[in-house]
Amino acid sequence: MADTAPHLDGNCLAGPLSEILSVEPTAAWWRCPECARSGPLADLHVYGPEPGLTARCPGCAHVALRLVREERYVWLTLGGGDGAFRFAVA
């Protein structure tokens, strides 16, 4: 079934995302979709560093995010999903 709903392209996300991606990361809060626990970034249990960093919920160990550095790019996966965002970095 084709999506026939009107939509904008992904460029409309640039402004809203720049508001959250340019802030101090330690000010961020997370919420676990598995057990509903929430808290500051510092509460997450982080494993790594190779092949990347994996942050897990301290309550149920569900993956909160994965961050992998690959030469000129940083890959960011939110939650345990299969999709990822790739950001070019200096």
Side-chain angles (χ1 to χ4, degrees):
M1 175 183 233
D3 181 10
T4 59
H7 65 274
L8 302 171
D9 70 34
N11 287 319
C12 71
L13 296 171
L17 283 175
S18 70
E19 293 178 42
I20 60 171
L21 294 176
S22 64
V23 299
E24 173 58 40
T26 58
W29 275 65
W30 57 272
R31 183 177 185 278
C32 180
E34 191 70 22
C35 72
R37 184 174 179 158
S38 65
L41 187 73
D43 284 355
L44 294 172
H45 293 180
V46 180
Y47 302 90
E50 298 300 331
L53 299 173
T54 299
R56 294 182 173 273
C57 173
C60 69
H62 188 78
V63 174
L65 68 85
R66 289 186 178 99
L67 188 70
V68 178
R69 180 82 187 227
E70 178 189 65
E71 295 178 18
R72 300 182 339 250
Y73 303 104
V74 171
W75 289 88
L76 174 64
T77 303
L78 301 175
D82 295 328
F85 295 93
R86 183 182 82 171
F87 297 92
V89 292

